[in-house]
Amino acid sequence: MIHTPMGPAAPSPRPLPSPTASPSRPARQSTGHGQDSISSWPLMDRVGYLLCWAAGLLLCALAAGIVLVMFVKGISYLRPGLLLEHPSASQSQSGSGGFLDPIEGTLLLTAIGIALAAPIGVAVAVWLSEYRRPAALAQAVESGIEMIAGAPSVVLAFFGLLIFARPSLAFLSQTSAGGAVYGRSFFAAGAMMSLLALPLVVSATREGLAQIPAHMREASYALGKTRATTIRRVLLPSIRPSIASGTTLGMGRIIGDTAIVVILLGASLHLEGAGGTPGLSTLRGTGSTLTSYVFENSPAGEGNAPEKAYAAAFVLLMMVLALNMVVTRLSSGKPRWLAGLTGPMLWRWMPWRD
Amino acid sequence: MGPPPVRRIVVEREPTVVAPPPSNGRPAPLPDAPMGAKVTERMRIENVSLAYGDRWVVRDVTLPVREGEVLALIGASGSGKTTLLRSLNRLTEVTAGATRAGRVTLDGQEISDLEVTALRRRISMVFQQPNPFPMSVFENVAYALREERRGGRDEEHRGGWRGRRRAGRKELEPAVVEALQRAGLYEEVKADLNHPALRLSGGQQQRLCIARALAANPEVLLLDEPCSALDPISTATIEQLISRLRESVAIVIVTHNLQQAFRVADHVAFMHLGELVEYGSSDQVFDNPRQQRTREYISGAFG
Ligand SMILES: Nc1ncnc2c1ncn2[C@@H]1O[C@H](COP(=O)(O)OP(=O)(O)OP(=O)(O)O)[C@@H](O)[C@H]1O
Ligand SMILES: [Mg+2]
């Protein structure tokens, strides 16, 4: 039983600790390791330590190597014109044009994928974190997302092909003159790409929500707000940086994927529309992206234009690195304008915002 | 589920009494404590027991909450003050496993019969930690005024901004300013209403939370240790604020600071291990506690 009242009213019988009472700070703090020399460690520990160290070093060297080689090769083959010229089928490298179409394809496909993944991912994350009812369904959804996150993209692509080649979905893709449904289009590829980005959006959003203390939600309930209003007006706005970084990570994932492009987008040289309606025809049509362009033009593919492949790979690498930088800055929460850029933009489109 | 049998607490040992410093006399009541203000009972807590799971942490408490006065809940840590307070605006319902037995009425109506969002606009709450939303100062208060317009009280709201459309800044401005003024914060923040609320000082944040709680013109204001995270100056500001507000709002305050309870409260309820040990006017409880346990608790601070 506590009879001593707490709080400032209770006079303290103890004298206040004086600053001199605490011992002066030791010059060197003894932490667990680093203090003892490595030579005193058991042999296994020493070997392990060296291996870790070597692995780290190797990784650095590899990363530097990739960037350097791509940089040197890429810069040497890259002309500004390449970014603006359409590609053309040609035997010689000089005649094969630029890669405007693949760049457009990358941008369009990323836009479609993320436009699907961001709202769905946020909605799923909100439901998982804030509602979770029934619990069995929540667990099933969680495993489902884990499954999708772990599935190789070529499997997703193949699955997508099965779906979009169904006659009932013919309106979403290209059809041959005979009526056969190819199941290849920006729609089809974008839909499967969104599955790649979805788990990243979901987990970033959930992490953001988990960091909001319970009393923030309660403060909103205490003002007579419903759970839905609280989510819409308090929780989601305050996790904009998390949503934005999840979205950006997802974009990086989409930009970097090849399998879905080759299988579901057709990897055709140009953006080839299908059907008459201008914008819609592109979405229903096939195309290529930087990844498929690099693949096709590398010695592994058939284009046999390695210089173009290097240049395109360089552009691709720069795009992904730029996105990674955005993610790092977003998650460090530093510049408001970056968070403000992606967040609210996605935001405005959320259907449940009034 | 009925309330559990009330367990009597037997005091067997000498109370731990801490000697007060000589200068620590009894504080003088705040000058603007209203005398003979209009006092009407707004809420009634009747035989209320509260449990988390099957553990009863509040047992059989009966208390009136009156307009025009401040009721202070005092008692040691873990005695169930916060739990009781949170049950008054049904915030305990947010906690999984929390159950209530007994009646809580607002103007004679059982609170579980009222629509919960409307109820919480009438019975507002301020938490121990200042918790402004990560929005601008203006938006923090405006948020309390917006949306959820189903409750009965909304008819009374300043007209003009009802309807499907979200209320704009122009329309909300007078109400926001008024709430900030009532919370005694307006003069300090009027130049930066658009700044993030999280950049205010702790004391300012807490007054912003009070402004937010007052924005919808509640009839009852619940304060859970509102000053525990604040410095003495902010505490004094908030105490004065409470004294001013008591005329228009029924106030229930939980505090560990007995001097504060004495300064701001008209009635005091002392709780111990979930039971209401003593309820009476502030003067009576602090000067002539009827119960031994109250005396022990009070004497810890007042000597
Ligand atoms: N969410 C919860 N789940 C389970 N038990 C809880 C919960 N919140 C509080 N309790 C328990 O209920 C009892 C009363 O807690 P309460 O917070 O109401 O005490 P209090 O009087 O406000 O204490 P303090 O003065 O320290 O704030 C405590 O024993 C506590 O452990
Ligand atoms: Mg408490």
Coordinates of all heavy atoms in Angstrom, one line a residue, chain A residues 12-23:
Chain A
S12 N 10.4 16.3 -0.9 CA 11.4 15.2 -1.0 C 12.3 15.2 0.2 O 12.9 16.2 0.5 CB 12.2 15.4 -2.3 OG 13.4 14.6 -2.2
P13 N 12.4 14.1 0.9 CA 13.2 14.1 2.1 C 14.7 14.0 1.7 O 15.6 14.4 2.5 CB 12.8 12.9 2.8 CG 12.2 12.0 1.8 CD 11.7 12.9 0.8
R14 N 14.9 13.6 0.5 CA 16.3 13.4 0.1 C 16.9 14.7 -0.4 O 16.1 15.5 -1.0 CB 16.4 12.4 -1.0 CG 16.2 10.9 -0.6 CD 16.2 10.0 -1.8 NE 15.0 10.2 -2.5 CZ 14.9 10.6 -3.8 NH1 16.0 10.8 -4.4 NH2 13.8 10.7 -4.4
P15 N 18.1 15.0 -0.2 CA 18.7 16.2 -0.8 C 18.8 16.0 -2.3 O 18.9 14.9 -2.8 CB 20.1 16.3 -0.2 CG 20.4 14.9 0.2 CD 19.1 14.3 0.5
L16 N 18.6 17.1 -3.1 CA 18.8 17.0 -4.5 C 20.2 16.5 -4.8 O 21.1 16.9 -4.2 CB 18.5 18.3 -5.2 CG 17.0 18.8 -5.2 CD1 16.9 20.2 -5.7 CD2 16.2 17.8 -6.0
P17 N 20.3 15.6 -5.8 CA 21.6 15.2 -6.2 C 22.4 16.4 -6.8 O 21.9 17.1 -7.6 CB 21.4 14.1 -7.2 CG 20.0 14.4 -7.7 CD 19.3 15.0 -6.6
S18 N 23.6 16.6 -6.2 CA 24.4 17.7 -6.7 C 25.2 17.2 -7.9 O 25.5 16.1 -8.0 CB 25.3 18.3 -5.6 OG 26.3 17.3 -5.3
P19 N 25.5 18.1 -8.8 CA 26.2 17.7 -10.0 C 27.6 17.1 -9.6 O 28.1 16.2 -10.3 CB 26.4 19.0 -10.7 CG 25.6 20.1 -10.1 CD 25.2 19.6 -8.7
T20 N 28.2 17.6 -8.5 CA 29.5 17.0 -8.1 C 29.4 15.6 -7.6 O 30.4 14.9 -7.5 CB 30.2 17.9 -7.1 OG1 29.2 18.2 -6.1 CG2 30.7 19.2 -7.7
A21 N 28.2 15.3 -7.2 CA 28.1 13.9 -6.5 C 28.3 12.8 -7.6 O 28.8 11.8 -7.2 CB 26.7 13.8 -5.9
S22 N 27.9 13.1 -8.8 CA 28.1 12.0 -9.8 C 29.6 12.0 -10.2 O 30.3 13.0 -10.3 CB 27.3 12.3 -11.0 OG 27.7 13.5 -11.6
P23 N 30.1 10.8 -10.3 CA 31.5 10.6 -10.6 C 31.8 11.2 -12.0 O 30.9 11.2 -12.9 CB 31.8 9.1 -10.6 CG 30.4 8.5 -10.8 CD 29.4 9.5 -10.2

